[in-house]
Amino acid sequence: MVTIGPTISLLLLLLSLALASASIGVELPNDLSLDEVHSESQSQSYYTITTLRRLAVEFIAQYQNITIHDLAQDLYRDKEIRLPTTEDLRCLADLQTLANAVSARKFWALRSKFIFHTEKSNLLLHYQHNTYSSHFVTVIDSWGTLPSGILYGNLVDLGNFDECLGIDHAETSTHSVQGKYCLSKLQVAPSFSAYLSLKTAVCFPASCSAAHMDTMLRRLLQNLLNIELNPEVPVVNEGTCKTADREPYDALTIFTIVLLSILCALMLLSTVCDYLVCQDEQPLNKWIKAFSARANSRVLFRLVAPRSNPNVIDCIHGIRVLSFIWVVFGHVYLVYVFGPNMNFVKFNTWRKSPYSMLLQHAAYSVDTFFFLSGLLMVVIALRAMERTKGKLNVSLMYLHRYLRLTPVLALAIIAYITILPRMGDGPMYGKVNFDDYSICKDTWYWTLLYVQNYATNQICLGHSWYLAVDMQLYIIAPILLIALYKWKRKAVAGIVVAMLLLAACLFSIMVIEKVSLIASSEDSMKRIYFSTHTRASPYLIGILFGYFLHVNRGKSFKLSPIAVILGWVTSLALLFSCLFAVYGYAADGKTPPIVEEAFYLTFTRIAWPLGLCWVVFACMQGYGGLANSFLSSPLWQPLSKLSYSAYIFHMFMESLNAGITRTNTYFSNYQVMLRFWGDFGFTMLLAYFVYILIEAPFGNLESLLLPIEKPSAPLPAAEQVKEAPVGCTASAPTLENKSPLPA
């Protein structure tokens, strides 16, 4: 399983690949040539491989008369004889059946090794040791071949997955020969990275294990190449193999299906009742309305004109959605990095381009959402505290927060475990994922407790680390709110000092203990990326800026044109410095010294939210111009309300679409953009379904069950609930300035 850390910046990944290439003597230039890549011995290994016939041809020639000794190499070990097992004998019998069927030109066998016979006028060729034979030609059908363009980065041939799994030849009433698809792996040279190994598809009888295939292919390749393959690196691994058989539904899968069926039934019945009752202009029961897709869709697609509500910061909708798009776009590039690309060497050229900086630093979207969370929490919470004279019901506040976030997250956990593995299939399915979702069976409870960023090294849903950090910051938020309400400027000074101390802590960890994100040192992600104390700076800046807006609410700032220009220049300078400050190192393919990286990471986590402060301020005060018109457009509002569900499930769609790939892909910015729009579109459709099925109904139930005086305002998600009259013309409760949770 190739897993992808969900929030690692593309810079980290591509630089690590470049460093790995440098360590093995491979540069990955624009136009790769044989002399530039290998030493003389490595070039000879490459040349030997390129002179091979197609792998299935060599396999048939090697094992025309296969025996049990060819199948299991450990029958004789330490002068002791191991008797063949039932699995050995069954595999041998199926291989002999397959060989006989191939010789007899049986169609079912031809689907895995397709043979043509030459007679008289038929012009069919057989390529054997650079000569043509007039007897027969073997053309690989479901097997893969030696990829063309190896020196250009085409390292994978996926063969024909569906054809291999479609083989099902009934030998007897109780036994049939079925196909088993695997990806074999061969290192071009011993010094090459395992990631740069050649991979080609092989198709065997399903009764054969990966160990059987590994034994036969290893012996074949050693004979052909006259080299000793590394016994620690399997040629065929069971993890790459697939058959047409599917595991029966387990109890958790059945539970998931039943749960979703019940929720769908409730939604459909409530929607029908809503539609029928509203036709007669009768009041609608509030419990039915909570599950009605019609009522919840009204809330979702209701557009509010900018500046119609002074309690809503209109530009936040646009910032939130654009940041989420940035997240998805960056993850699409990660999918392409680990996909079966035919031009892998072009990644090095792309990595050095200025455009790539926008994707390599997509992780700044995380800081954007931390900033928004702290900002909205303070702006709304302090207004509520003024109405209650500084009182906060902290326990109810925590309960409200937990109930708002957890239902969607809990559904996502079981959906990633049970539904995603059964949604599709393909040679790459389950191998190009962002996480190994099977670990959720052991670590799901840490995720639902929002402590997974500290409690475990195996996070259930990798992107859920953001929820843990945001929840932990939210837990300490009441302390900061009370301090700001009581001590005002003194509390501001204290928060500034705390922020600087946390920044110094991050810098010290990186410099003293040599922890690097770019060089990907051990536990670097957990220590300085997932940890709450190293991610708190944008949140605290959001709190400080939110307090500034609260103190100056209703006040109009009259700024001179020069001041406005300076504000925008300073803001853009901060933002672009974060994006392009390390461009020189990326262009040269170098890693910055740890001290420089520490300065860069520490200050950018402060500079980025500071740049956003001016953007929000300018839009609120009328100095935003086109930026305000764009970010405050009402069209962002529905997507903004879907952002939480979309964030939780966007990796579901990306893993699905990446896994069903059956042919090699070509990497280019345009091709990635085409993939992005498909992933983003289906993600939003899935998010809408989750919204009307889970998020909105449970949010409505929580609003109905908790006391009306609940302190909804202090939510860092800024979920301000407005109760509407129960009736046909009224909509369900409105969630304004909804959670900026994606990261």
Side-chain angles (χ1 to χ4, degrees):
M1 164 93 55
V2 177
T3 58
I4 303 175
T7 50
I8 301 178
S9 70
L10 203 55
L11 172 64
L12 170 65
L13 292 172
L14 293 177
L15 281 179
S16 63
L17 289 176
L19 290 172
S21 301
S23 66
I24 61 175
V26 181
E27 172 61 24
L28 297 181
N30 295 348
D31 296 308
L32 212 56
S33 66
L34 184 63
D35 294 335
E36 292 171 327
V37 177
H38 307 291
S39 65
E40 183 177 352
S41 60
Q42 293 169 345
S43 298
Q44 183 61 38
S45 298
Y46 168 79
Y47 181 76
T48 303
I49 292 176
T50 58
T51 60
L52 293 179
R53 293 174 293 175
R54 295 182 177 180
L55 191 57
V57 179
E58 303 287 1
F59 182 85
I60 293 174
Q62 175 82 10
Y63 298 109
Q64 289 180 349
N65 300 307
I66 187 170
T67 66
I68 191 64
H69 303 287
D70 298 319
L71 192 63
Q73 63 181 359
D74 60 343
L75 288 178
Y76 301 99
R77 183 174 52 192
D78 298 330
K79 297 182 180 180
E80 296 183 1
I81 299 178
R82 177 181 72 81
L83 295 177
T85 64
T86 304
E87 290 75 14
D88 295 335
L89 297 176
R90 184 179 296 113
C91 177
L92 176 62
D94 286 348
L95 284 172
Q96 291 173 339
T97 300
L98 181 61
N100 294 334
V102 168
S103 300
R105 281 48 169 183
K106 299 290 186 179
F107 180 74
W108 70 270
L110 303 183
R111 295 176 67 180
S112 61
K113 302 177 180 68
F114 208 70
I115 294 180
F116 295 89
H117 194 269
T118 303
E119 291 184 4
K120 298 181 181 180
S121 60
N122 293 341
L123 181 60
L124 296 173
L125 303 177
H126 171 53
Y127 186 64
Q128 180 176 9
H129 297 296
N130 298 324
T131 63
Y132 292 102
S133 171
S134 60
H135 296 292
F136 58 90
V137 59
T138 302
V139 180
I140 309 308
D141 214 25
S142 61
W143 279 52
T145 64
L146 183 70
S148 59
I150 293 176
L151 298 181
Y152 199 59
N154 187 21
L155 305 175
V156 182
D157 191 316
L158 299 177
N160 195 308
F161 175 83
D162 299 284
E163 186 175 30
C164 179
L165 267 60
I167 297 173
D168 189 3
H169 173 68
E171 280 291 294
T172 65
S173 59
T174 59
H175 177 67
S176 62
V177 179
Q178 296 180 326
K180 184 174 186 176
Y181 177 96
C182 299
L183 276 178
S184 62
K185 181 167 64 175
L186 173 65
Q187 287 182 283
V188 178
S191 61
F192 264 52
S193 168
Y195 184 77
L196 298 178
S197 300
L198 296 180
K199 297 178 183 179
T200 187
V202 295
C203 185
F204 280 78
S207 57
C208 298
S209 67
H212 292 142
M213 303 182 216
D214 184 85
T215 299
M216 291 184 286
L217 289 176
R218 184 180 296 273
R219 183 174 300 164
L220 171 66
L221 293 171
Q222 288 174 345
N223 291 340
L224 295 173
L225 303 177
N226 195 27
I227 60 174
E228 184 69 26
L229 297 179
N230 186 355
E232 302 298 328
V233 180
V235 177
V236 180
N237 190 295
E238 195 69 51
T240 68
C241 298
K242 294 179 180 292
T243 64
D245 294 334
R246 295 292 176 265
E247 294 182 1
Y249 288 175
D250 57 11
L252 183 60
T253 303
I254 296 174
F255 169 78
T256 304
I257 295 174
V258 172
L259 176 63
L260 291 175
S261 300
I262 293 174
L263 292 174
C264 287
L266 285 174
M267 180 189 68
L268 292 174
L269 291 175
S270 299
T271 304
V272 171
C273 291
D274 186 357
Y275 181 78
L276 295 177
V277 169
C278 284
Q279 280 188 333
D280 298 331
E281 296 298 327
Q282 297 178 1
L284 183 64
N285 184 277
K286 60 183 180 180
W287 300 101
I288 295 177
K289 190 173 187 178
F291 286 91
S292 171
R294 188 188 191 194
N296 291 324
S297 295
R298 285 200 194 103
V299 175
L300 176 64
F301 294 109
R302 177 191 298 144
L303 302 182
V304 180
R307 299 184 179 276
S308 61
N309 187 343
N311 295 323
V312 176
I313 304 175
D314 299 302
C315 65
I316 284 182
H317 291 296
I319 296 175
R320 181 184 299 135
V321 175
L322 291 178
S323 298
F324 173 67
I325 291 175
W326 197 8
V327 170
V328 178
F329 201 24
H331 284 161
V332 172
Y333 270 92
L334 289 181
V335 170
Y336 258 83
V337 168
F338 288 91
N341 291 286
M342 63 178 63
N343 60 332
F344 183 75
V345 297
K346 285 300 181 182
F347 281 119
N348 193 54
T349 304
W350 178 87
R351 178 180 61 85
K352 297 179 180 180
S353 66
Y355 171 78
S356 71
M357 294 294 104
L358 301 176
L359 284 307
Q360 294 182 34
H361 297 296
Y364 287 121
S365 59
V366 178
D367 295 331
T368 300
F369 290 116
F370 282 131
F371 167 76
L372 294 179
S373 188
L375 166 63
L376 295 174
M377 185 270 297
V378 168
V379 167
I380 301 177
L382 290 180
R383 293 172 187 168
M385 292 179 69
E386 286 187 347
R387 293 194 300 269
T388 60
K389 297 182 179 180
K391 294 181 180 180
L392 278 178
N393 190 334
V394 177
S395 59
L396 191 60
M397 187 176 83
Y398 290 161
L399 179 62
H400 176 67
R401 168 75 171 179
Y402 188 84
L403 293 179
R404 281 292 172 139
L405 301 184
T406 306
V408 174
L409 181 60
L411 174 67
I413 291 175
I414 59 175
Y416 277 90
I417 298 175
T418 61
I419 304 300
L420 180 59
R422 301 177 184 274
M423 284 288 291
D425 208 351
M428 306 300 296
Y429 205 82
K431 300 180 181 65
V432 186
N433 284 349
F434 291 91
D435 301 289
D436 180 3
Y437 299 120
S438 62
I439 65 176
C440 287
K441 295 181 180 179
D442 299 321
T443 62
W444 60 269
Y445 50 90
W446 296 124
T447 301
L448 295 184
L449 292 174
Y450 299 96
V451 294
Q452 64 270 34
N453 58 327
Y454 287 111
T456 178
N457 292 323
Q458 296 180 317
I459 300 179
C460 173
L461 302 182
H463 56 302
S464 68
W465 72 269
Y466 172 85
L467 301 181
V469 173
D470 194 67
M471 179 66 81
Q472 291 158 20
L473 291 171
Y474 179 69
I475 290 174
I476 67 173
I479 300 175
L480 303 180
L481 289 173
I482 294 173
L484 288 171
Y485 182 81
K486 288 186 175 181
W487 297 301
K488 298 179 174 56
R489 293 186 178 181
K490 293 182 179 180
V492 169
I495 294 175
V496 171
V497 172
M499 180 187 66
L500 295 177
L501 290 176
L502 290 175
C505 177
L506 171 61
F507 182 85
S508 301
I509 292 174
M510 296 183 67
V511 173
I512 296 175
E513 302 185 25
K514 308 298 181 183
V515 180
S516 170
L517 279 181
I518 296 178
S520 190
S521 56
E522 185 178 1
D523 293 334
S524 58
M525 295 297 294
K526 183 176 182 179
R527 299 190 62 184
I528 61 177
Y529 198 89
F530 295 157
S531 56
T532 302
H533 59 283
T534 62
R535 303 311 302 253
S537 295
Y539 190 86
L540 295 178
I541 291 176
I543 288 177
L544 294 175
F545 183 62
Y547 180 74
F548 169 80
L549 295 180
H550 172 74
V551 171
N552 295 280
R553 64 190 184 279
K555 181 179 178 181
S556 178
F557 289 83
K558 302 297 182 181
L559 302 180
S560 65
I562 296 179
V564 173
I565 293 174
L566 287 176
W568 277 109
V569 169
T570 303
S571 174
L572 294 176
L574 290 173
L575 298 178
F576 279 94
S577 295
C578 294
L579 294 175
F580 296 100
V582 294
Y583 172 66
Y585 287 105
D588 295 337
K590 298 179 180 179
T591 303
I594 189 62
V595 175
E596 293 187 24
E597 182 186 349
F599 272 112
Y600 169 74
L601 191 62
T602 302
F603 285 111
T604 53
R605 289 186 178 172
I606 297 176
W608 185 265
L610 286 178
L612 294 177
C613 288
W614 171 259
V615 175
V616 176
F617 175 80
C619 291
M620 292 181 65
Q621 294 296 323
Y623 301 113
L626 291 176
N628 181 50
S629 300
F630 180 70
L631 295 175
S632 300
S633 172
L635 298 179
W636 296 116
Q637 294 173 16
L639 297 179
S640 179
K641 296 172 185 177
L642 290 175
S643 61
Y644 176 49
S645 294
Y647 170 67
I648 295 297
F649 281 94
H650 82 280
M651 289 185 178
F652 187 99
M653 294 306 307
E654 292 196 355
S655 297
L656 172 64
N657 293 339
I660 61 177
T661 300
R662 279 163 166 75
T663 57
N664 286 20
T665 55
Y666 181 83
F667 173 78
S668 70
N669 290 320
Y670 183 69
Q671 292 293 330
V672 176
M673 193 172 297
L674 291 177
R675 167 72 72 84
F676 161 76
W677 285 114
D679 289 353
F680 180 75
F682 279 103
T683 294
M684 299 314 298
L685 289 176
L686 179 59
Y688 171 69
F689 177 74
V690 173
Y691 177 85
I692 62 175
L693 188 69
I694 300 290
E695 185 177 1
F698 278 82
N700 296 335
L701 290 178
E702 183 263 346
S703 300
L704 293 173
L705 294 174
L706 289 185
I708 297 177
E709 294 81 8
K710 62 180 179 297
S712 60
L715 287 174
E719 293 173 337
Q720 187 178 17
V721 180
K722 289 187 176 181
E723 298 292 349
V726 177
C728 296
T729 58
S731 60
T734 302
L735 305 180
E736 297 186 4
N737 277 341
K738 205 166 178 303
S739 173
L741 289 173

